[in-house]
């Protein structure tokens, strides 16, 4: 086993990204098998592998996944957006408020996405034009967005029932497949194509690997980062709308702490915080691992505190494995 | 080369999931609860009977829970109040003959999103009854929809869930009791004119019912002294979702905005927010136990300690360690097709330093 | 001379880096009170040898003897303890502290009995050290007010604040004017008289002859020879250094120089003061200047990476506004930057991706990259520039310096650049690759390109450039044709 792996990685030395992703999917499969089997043993019944579990779980993570895919692109350029959680809170309150004023559902969705884009523009402006470090800038805007959310909602949660909004999170296609999962899949495919096949994807990677060399080769580094901040803003508000739909409630607390969940999933997927490295499929695996871990452990009646500990250990283990593999690959050159 | 491998693994994973999900016994939906809710002649007779078993605090004479499963979400694990509730639910479940493996648990962490996710996970386990302890009453409506679609009855704890029997505090009554106790203390301290402000730390995100926890307090004052007198004195603050930190900040702001507060009446929705509030007053350097009349609600371990330390003057006890004595009989009654009263209010008591040892003997 | 006279002996030192044998069994010895020159091209192994002596690198094999005793140097602290002091090319002074504080940094004098810094005696001792070097410098002066050469003196004083047996100076004159160099040499003579042994690293032959007693020549990680300075001459040293005849080393062809393609008038930008010049098709224009002369600022301004405050640039007679590297690229200007790892290449990406980096838009119609088109383009340049790489998908990181430089050059050829600016194009690459780069530059000129080559290597610029402009303090100070230029003229113009 170890030997074949060694041979594999010798052959694939240049493509550390792909084989790391492969590793993640193997971990994922092992995890799924483990939860399936233990659930069977413990309860004598298959709770984990049932449509009743898998489908709601996937719709619950679809909004995280959508944001994670887009954030992966931004992280690859070496920038960060922590304001996504605040964006979700604001969007969800805004949507509920507009609905309560009797505004048409489609219009509400469009307004919220436009506001999301504006939030992205604001982040992009602060980071690329004023030159503020993106971590600091977006921690700042995170607080601003959430504060506006509290102001809009007066701190209360507001019911948000509307056919259009309902469909966004709870509608189904072909009777069984929830609409947010479809959205998630579309985003995965789009971002995958962008990052692996497109011109802008190439520029994103090059910026992450060496911003100076990219700039001196005529790449509009700031422009691309700006664009990705806008994408992030739009993705977060789409996520906020889905979450509003899933909970049927607009509340300023929505998305609290979500930025860390999303960032951990992206990092787990093999994206480097320093930029230049990352794969959309890796992020997909990261999102699935973290949420299946929660789902499976909760299924097994494991206390939340232990789940937190296990999550942390998994994150560190996986990232440490990347580092070890990386340094081995370097030593072999 | 590696891409084909990747696709292979993906296909494998999908196939694995597919196999498991069509395995016999996995997807067959639990035979839809066949128990027709028997229109019991005596109304809530079964519940009353089981409640009697539970209050004895020992094994029930009948193992009525033996073949059933129960799901419970906790509002926030780790807080003494919530841990007491959970502990008592576990104990009573065992007394009722329930299988501990069939008592499903999840922690909502004061997070509505998590509450939703947990509800989905527990729904997938198709419990016979679901006890929902989740802080946002409006989010509970969507949870209620899902479970009623699956024909699984819900019992709501402390925060209402639409269409479900409510177990917990009669918020208005408790708050009114707290208010009456506070009035007693105000009178002893020289009457309402000696008081500068009445501060209510509220929790708007808990919905209207939780708002009653402080509005009842206000009502007691308004009934006694008249709303015209009380209204200008009353400050309502948003203490957040029941955690110390947010309440601390909110009260700090109130204190800065009202530099002349010296003698005040202070109440909040639970003991955690109160500890944040007291810390805020102390940090501001304006703490004087003689001048602050502090009446709180919950009287969990934190609250007992605050009482013993002289930080609070009185606390209305919810007796979380007795919640299971209501929840399990109600659940088992529902499992057995009986009805449960729409409101199951816990009995409350005003605890002060004088009677605390009666209810909670010092360790 | 007897064995006792030998202060330092390094024997058969070998050091391997990934992909490069940096030092291959190199031996040197240093006598008491002598100045030993170490001469070699960039990448010959000079710096590696010094870093091993200073404890910054650990040798793979070989032995070090100090005063005849075997010594293992595992970290900079051990090197310091055995009396070795190194002054690097990049100065390590802390600019907001005073001279005295810098001299005693890390080992401040403490009042006896008290843990209090003894400022007075620090200033007093600094004064004594500075006086012993025959320099007039106020110990209380703040570093940022000093000139580069004065800072260097402080570095020397710092090295001497504790007893120094061996002083290593790594290219100390890279940033110094001729006068400053002279005063530095005076200090070296003073130290010599006191019995300090000095290792002097430089690639300026003139200095080697002026100051050293003996000289060791390194080439490609190997020691070529040690000579007594008085018994050798420039030609011998150069041919030892490059391993071949000068003509062979710097091949120069006659290329017809035709019409003007670029004209710069009164360019003012950060670090660049009122510069005008023109550039003709087929021409290699050399720009020579010392460290800090503004040569790199000029490159950045021409390429749009530094904002231009005033002045005009004409390309083929048309006025252009170069506000960004993107505009420069679109005006058919290409840049091979100074630091290819930091500024030139995306190291973790492949050869292919690096070649097409400036022309991603041409990699297919619309939104997507056509991988076939891209591979074809990359293969074409890899072949025609003879880039030695296992495949075009190999990470550029694993290529040798010369091949990396060719990848950067290929990028601009792919983008059709007609004006190519090369900033120190042969820094840190081996001799064979250098020759290839020189030939390549002239091939390009033949095909009608115009080249601006910034270089601080005198033999290179003297042999390859058709015309040489000398810069100092952001201005052009003089201009020579290939035939007029000499080493002395360039150096003295560079110090104006």
């Amino acid at each position: 086993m170890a030997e074949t792996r060694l041979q594999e990685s010798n052959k694939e030395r240049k493509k550390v990204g792909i084989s790391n992703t492969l590793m993640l999917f193997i971990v994922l499969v092992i995890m799924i098998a483990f939860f399936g089997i233990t659930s069977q043993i413990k309860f004598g019944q298959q709770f984990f592998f049932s449509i009743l579990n898998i489908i709601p779980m996937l719709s619950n993570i679809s909004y995280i996944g959508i944001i994670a895919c887009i954030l992966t692109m931004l992280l690859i350029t070496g920038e960060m957006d922590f304001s996504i959680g605040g964006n979700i809170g604001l969007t969800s309150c805004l949507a509920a408020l507009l609905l309560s004023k009797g505004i048409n559902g489609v219009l509400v969705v469009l307004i919220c996405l436009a506001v999301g884009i504006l939030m992205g523009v604001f982040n992009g402006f602060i980071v690329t034009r004023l030159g503020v470090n993106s971590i600091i800038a977006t921690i700042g805007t995170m607080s601003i967005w959430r504060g506006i959310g509290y102001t809009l909602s007066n701190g209360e949660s507001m019911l948000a029932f509307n056919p259009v909004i309902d469909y966004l999170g709870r509608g189904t296609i072909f009777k069984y497949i929830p609409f947010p999962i479809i959205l998630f899949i579309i985003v995965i495919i789009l971002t995958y194509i962008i990052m692996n096949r497109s011109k802008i994807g190439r520029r994103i990677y090059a910026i992450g690997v060496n911003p100076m060399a990219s700039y001196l080769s005529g790449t509009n580094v700031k422009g691309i980062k700006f664009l990705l901040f806008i994408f992030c803003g739009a993705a977060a508000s789409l996520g906020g709308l889905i979450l509003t739909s899933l909970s049927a409630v607009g509340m300023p607390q929505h998305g609290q702490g979500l930025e860390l969940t999303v960032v951990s999933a992206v990092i787990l997927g093999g994206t480097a915080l320093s930029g230049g490295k990352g794969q959309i499929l890796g992020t997909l695996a990261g999102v699935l691992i973290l949420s299946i871990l929660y789902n499976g452990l909760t299924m097994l009646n494991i206390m939340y505190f232990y789940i937190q500990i296990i999550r942390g250990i998994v994150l560190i283990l996986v990232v440490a494995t990347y580092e070890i593999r990386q340094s081995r690959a370097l030593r072999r050159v | 080369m590696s891409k084909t491998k990747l696709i292979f693994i993906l296909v494998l994973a999908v196939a694995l999931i597919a196999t498991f999900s069509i395995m016999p016994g996995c997807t067959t939906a639990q035979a839809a609860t066949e128990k027709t809710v028997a229109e019991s002649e005596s109304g809530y007779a079964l519940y009353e009977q089981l409640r009697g078993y539970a209050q004895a605090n020992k094994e029930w004479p009948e193992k009525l829970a033996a073949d059933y499963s129960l799901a419970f979400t906790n509002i926030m694990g780790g807080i003494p109040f919530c841990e007491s509730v959970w502990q008592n639910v576990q104990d009573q479940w065992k007394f009722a003959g329930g299988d501990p493996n069939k008592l499903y648990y999840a922690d909502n962490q004061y997070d509505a999103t998590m509450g939703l996710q947990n509800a989905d996970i527990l729904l997938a386990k198709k419990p016979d009854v679901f006890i929902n302890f989740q802080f946002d009453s409006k989010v509970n409506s969507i949870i209620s929809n899902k479970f009623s679609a699956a024909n699984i009855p819900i019992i709501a704890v402390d925060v209402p869930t639409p269409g479900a029997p409510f177990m917990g505090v009669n918020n208005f009554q408790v708050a009114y009791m707290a208010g009456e106790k506070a009035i007693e203390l105000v009178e002893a301290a020289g009457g309402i004119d000696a008081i500068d402000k009445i501060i209510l730390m509220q929790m708007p995100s808990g919905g209207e019912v939780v708002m009653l926890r402080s509005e009842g307090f206000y009502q007691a004052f308004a009934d006694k002294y008249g709303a015209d007198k009380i209204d200008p004195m009353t400050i309502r603050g948003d203490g957040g979702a029941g955690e110390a930190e947010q309440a601390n900040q909110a009260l700090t702001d109130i204190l800065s905005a009202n530099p002349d507060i010296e003698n005040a009446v202070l109440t909040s929705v639970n003991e955690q927010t109160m500890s944040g509030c007291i810390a805020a007053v102390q940090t501001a350097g304006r703490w004087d136990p003689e001048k602050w009349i502090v009446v709180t609600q919950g009287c969990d371990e934190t609250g007992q300690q605050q009482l013993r330390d002289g930080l609070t003057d009185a606390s209305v006890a919810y007796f979380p360690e007795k919640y299971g004595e209501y929840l399990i009989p109600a659940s088992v009654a529902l499992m057995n097709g009986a009805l449960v009263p729409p409101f199951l209010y816990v009995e409350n008591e005003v605890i002060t330093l004088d009677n605390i040892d009666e209810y909670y003997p010092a360790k | 001379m007897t064995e006792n006279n030998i202060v330092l002996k390094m024997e058969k030192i070998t050091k391997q880096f990934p992909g490069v044998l940096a030092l291959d069994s190199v031996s040197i010895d240093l006598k008491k009170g002598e100045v030993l020159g170490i001469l070699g091209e960039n990448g010959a192994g000079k710096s590696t040898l010094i870093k091993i002596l200073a404890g910054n690198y650990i040798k793979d094999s070989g032995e070090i003897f100090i005063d005849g005793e075997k010594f293992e140097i595992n970290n900079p602290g051990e090197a310091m303890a055995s009396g070795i002091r190194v002054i690097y090319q990049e100065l390590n002074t802390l600019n907001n502290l005073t001279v005295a504080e810098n001299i005693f940094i890390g080992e401040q004098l403490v009042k006896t009995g008290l843990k209090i810094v003894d400022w007075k005696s620090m200033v007093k001792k600094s004064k004594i050290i500075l006086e012993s070097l025959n320099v007039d410098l106020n110990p209380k002066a703040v570093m940022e007010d000093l000139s580069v050469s004065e800072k260097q003196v402080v570095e020397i004083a710092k090295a001497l604040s504790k007893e120094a047996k061996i002083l290593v100076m790594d290219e100390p004159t890279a940033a110094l004017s001729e006068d400053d160099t002279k005063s530095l040499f005076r200090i070296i003579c003073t130290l010599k008289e006191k019995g300090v042994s000095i290792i002097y690293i430089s690639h300026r032959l003139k200095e080697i002859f002026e100051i050293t007693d003996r000289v060791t020549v390194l080439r490609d990680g190997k020691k070529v020879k040690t000579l007594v300075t008085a018994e050798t001459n420039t030609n011998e040293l150069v041919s030892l250094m490059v391993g071949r005849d000068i003509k062979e080393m710097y091949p120069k062809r006659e290329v017809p120089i035709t019409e003007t393609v670029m004209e710069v008038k009164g360019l003012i930008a950060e670090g660049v003061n009122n510069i005008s010049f023109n550039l003709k098709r087929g021409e290699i224009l050399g720009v020579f200047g010392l460290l800090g002369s503004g040569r790199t600022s000029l490159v950045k301004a021409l390429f749009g990476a530094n904002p231009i405050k005033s002045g005009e640039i004409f390309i083929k007679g048309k006025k252009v506004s170069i506000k960004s590297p993107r505009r420069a690229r679109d005006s058919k200007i290409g840049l091979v930057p100074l630091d290819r790892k930091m500024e030139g290449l995306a190291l973790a990406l492949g050869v292919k991706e690096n070649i097409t980096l400036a022309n991603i838009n041409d990699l297919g119609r619309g939104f997507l990259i056509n991988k076939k088109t891209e591979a074809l383009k990359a293969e074409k340049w890899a072949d025609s520039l003879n880039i030695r790489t296992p495949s075009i998908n190999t990470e550029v990181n694993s290529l040798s310096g010369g091949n990396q430089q060719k990848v950067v050059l290929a990028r601009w050829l792919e983008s059709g650049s007609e004006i190519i600016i090369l900033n120190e194009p042969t820094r840190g690459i081996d001799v064979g690759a250098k020759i290839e780069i020189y030939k390549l530059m002239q091939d390009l000129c033949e095909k009608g390109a115009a080249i601006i080559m910034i270089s601080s290597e005198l033999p290179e610029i003297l042999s390859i450039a058709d015309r040489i402009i000398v810069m100092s303090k952001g201005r052009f100070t003089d201009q020579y044709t290939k035939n007029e230029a000499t080493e002395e003229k360039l150096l003295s113009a560079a110090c104006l």
Side-chain angles (χ1 to χ4, degrees), chain A residues 14 193-194 196-200 202-203 205-206 209-210 212-220 330 333, chain C residues 303 305 325-326 329 341-346 353 357-358 360-361 364 366-369 371 374 411-412:
Chain A
K14 301 283 146 22
I193 291 175
I194 289 178
N196 292 283
R197 294 267 181 276
S198 81
K199 294 173 179 174
I200 186 172
R202 170 66 59 76
R203 292 199 173 95
Y205 274 114
V209 171
N210 190 339
M212 194 61 196
S214 301
Y215 171 66
L216 289 178
S217 297
T219 305
N220 186 353
L330 279 182
V333 170
Chain C
F303 200 65
R326 199 150 44 117
R329 178 195 66 194
K341 295 194 175 182
M342 294 299 290
E343 301 170 328
L345 295 164
E353 285 85 352
L357 188 58
I360 295 173
N361 264 340
F367 179 69
L368 298 180
I369 289 178
K371 297 217 165 184
E374 180 176 32
R411 178 187 304 157
W412 297 111

Side-chain angles (χ1 to χ4, degrees), chain A residues 95-284:
Chain A
L97 188 72
L98 293 176
L99 287 177
S100 74
K101 301 254 189 277
I103 293 171
N104 176 287
V106 177
L107 203 59
V108 170
V109 171
L110 291 178
I111 293 173
C112 286
L113 289 178
V115 170
I117 287 172
L118 272 181
M119 288 189 262
V121 168
F122 194 77
N123 281 336
F125 179 80
I126 298 177
V127 174
T128 65
R129 307 293 147 174
L130 303 186
V132 178
N133 175 295
S134 61
I135 293 180
I136 295 162
T138 55
I139 285 178
T141 52
M142 164 175 75
S143 161
I144 298 175
W145 304 158
R146 195 169 300 289
I148 296 175
Y150 272 100
T151 314
L152 288 180
S153 66
N154 221 347
E156 291 175 42
S157 53
M158 297 178 280
L159 283 176
F161 280 113
N162 172 284
V164 180
I165 299 284
D166 288 356
Y167 191 78
L168 213 52
R170 286 177 278 128
T172 53
I173 284 180
F174 305 132
K175 232 174 166 184
Y176 295 110
I177 308 169
F179 185 63
I181 298 183
I182 304 288
L183 282 179
F184 183 23
I185 293 173
I186 292 173
V187 169
I188 293 170
I189 294 173
L190 275 182
T191 48
Y192 182 86
I193 291 175
I194 289 178
M195 292 313 282
N196 292 283
R197 294 267 181 276
S198 81
K199 294 173 179 174
I200 186 172
R202 170 66 59 76
R203 292 199 173 95
I204 290 170
Y205 274 114
I207 289 172
V209 171
N210 190 339
M212 194 61 196
S214 301
Y215 171 66
L216 289 178
S217 297
T219 305
N220 186 353
V221 175
K222 287 181 178 176
I224 286 177
K225 286 182 175 174
F226 206 124
L227 188 69
L228 290 178
F229 274 110
I230 293 174
F231 281 5
C232 264
S237 54
L238 178 60
L241 286 169
I242 295 174
L243 184 53
T244 306
S245 168
L246 283 171
S247 58
V249 162
M251 60 194 294
Q253 294 99 333
H254 268 340
Q256 202 143 33
L258 190 94
E259 49 284 333
L260 285 184
T261 313
V262 175
V263 171
S264 343
V266 175
I267 290 172
L268 190 67
T271 300
L273 270 186
S274 51
K277 229 169 52 180
Q279 299 278 333
I280 295 297
L281 288 182
T283 295
L284 171 64

Side-chain angles (χ1 to χ4, degrees), chain C residues 344-399:
Chain C
L345 295 164
L347 287 174
L349 296 184
V351 171
K352 178 180 70 184
E353 285 85 352
N354 272 287
I355 289 180
T356 57
L357 188 58
N359 295 285
I360 295 173
N361 264 340
D362 303 335
L363 294 181
R365 253 181 261 156
F367 179 69
L368 298 180
I369 289 178
N370 183 336
K371 297 217 165 184
K372 259 186 204 155
T373 313
E374 180 176 32
L376 282 176
K377 287 183 181 212
E379 293 281 4
K380 182 182 91 187
W381 293 113
D383 283 348
S384 67
L385 298 192
N386 194 18
I387 298 173
R388 278 178 290 276
T389 170
S391 102
I392 52 164
N393 297 317
T394 309
E395 268 181 32
V396 269
N397 205 4
S398 61
L399 264 53

Side-chain angles (χ1 to χ4, degrees), chain C residues 319-330:
Chain C
K319 191 178 166 189
V320 290
S321 140
I322 300 176
K323 284 182 184 156
S324 67
R326 199 150 44 117
R327 293 279 186 91
R329 178 195 66 194
D330 296 341

Side-chain angles (χ1 to χ4, degrees), chain B residues 43-323:
Chain B
Y44 309 123
L46 182 59
Y47 169 73
E48 301 294 350
Q49 182 194 349
L50 300 179
R51 172 96 176 101
Y53 292 164
Q55 275 171 314
N57 214 11
K58 61 177 190 208
E59 292 218 2
W60 295 7
E62 297 168 84
K63 303 286 179 207
L64 286 170
D67 297 324
Y68 297 102
S69 58
L70 175 66
F72 174 82
T73 55
N74 212 343
I75 193 163
M76 172 106 185
I79 289 184
F81 184 95
C82 302
E83 289 301 320
S84 301
V85 173
W86 171 228
Q87 190 53 51
N88 194 231
V89 165
Q90 282 174 294
D91 291 345
Q92 288 292 336
W93 179 248
K94 252 183 262 168
F95 292 157
D99 176 358
N101 267 339
K102 287 191 173 177
L103 176 57
Y104 310 139
Y105 175 84
D107 184 347
N108 286 338
Q109 287 293 310
Y110 260 128
D111 182 341
T113 317
M114 218 144 167
L116 272 177
Q117 210 175 328
N118 288 336
D120 279 330
I121 294 174
L122 295 178
L123 182 60
K125 293 169 95 169
K126 290 163 287 182
D128 293 302
V129 171
F130 175 52
I131 300 175
N132 186 33
F133 193 8
Q134 199 281 118
F135 90 101
D136 191 89
S137 60
K138 285 172 187 147
V139 172
N140 282 340
S141 64
I142 198 98
I143 294 175
S144 164
N145 282 351
K146 290 182 181 186
F147 278 82
S148 60
N151 266 329
I152 297 172
I154 301 185
I155 301 172
V157 183
D158 270 359
V159 183
T161 299
F166 174 92
M167 184 266 140
V169 176
N170 181 343
N171 287 285
F172 188 82
Q173 192 189 318
V174 168
Y176 204 88
M177 278 168 81
E180 285 176 327
K181 183 69 194 174
I183 290 167
E184 199 184 310
L185 294 167
V186 166
E187 289 300 319
I192 190 71
D193 292 324
I195 302 296
D196 299 321
K197 291 284 180 205
I198 299 168
I199 302 171
L200 313 175
M201 290 310 281
Q202 305 184 309
M203 181 173 153
S205 56
E208 283 130 36
V209 177
V210 177
M211 288 301 273
L212 293 177
R213 278 195 199 175
S214 37
E215 291 306 326
F217 190 91
Y218 160 81
Q219 198 59 49
F221 273 81
D223 288 352
K224 170 88 179 167
Y225 302 110
D228 292 346
K229 170 88 179 155
I230 297 304
D231 280 348
M233 294 175 67
T234 309
I235 298 175
R236 291 178 168 82
D238 180 0
E243 288 158 285
E245 199 182 319
Q246 285 163 302
N248 183 311
Q249 269 172 20
L251 189 58
T252 302
D253 293 346
I254 290 173
L255 290 174
S256 326
N258 299 278
D260 47 349
I261 296 180
E262 250 187 65
N263 299 287
V265 174
L266 175 63
T267 189
S268 75
V269 293
N270 65 13
E271 302 288 358
Q272 279 67 40
T273 49
M274 184 53 78
S275 68
C277 289
I278 293 171
V281 185
Q282 288 172 334
T283 310
R286 287 154 72 172
W287 176 249
D288 183 347
E290 300 299 316
K291 292 182 176 170
W292 283 77
I293 293 169
V294 182
V295 177
T296 176
Q297 305 178 33
C299 204
D300 57 9
E301 276 174 39
T302 310
Q304 294 156 31
Q305 198 56 47
Q306 282 173 167
L307 262 176
R308 290 201 161 97
D309 292 348
L311 294 173
T312 55
D313 297 303
S315 176
V316 184
Y318 293 176
F319 301 116
E321 65 281 3
K322 291 184 179 165
Y323 270 36

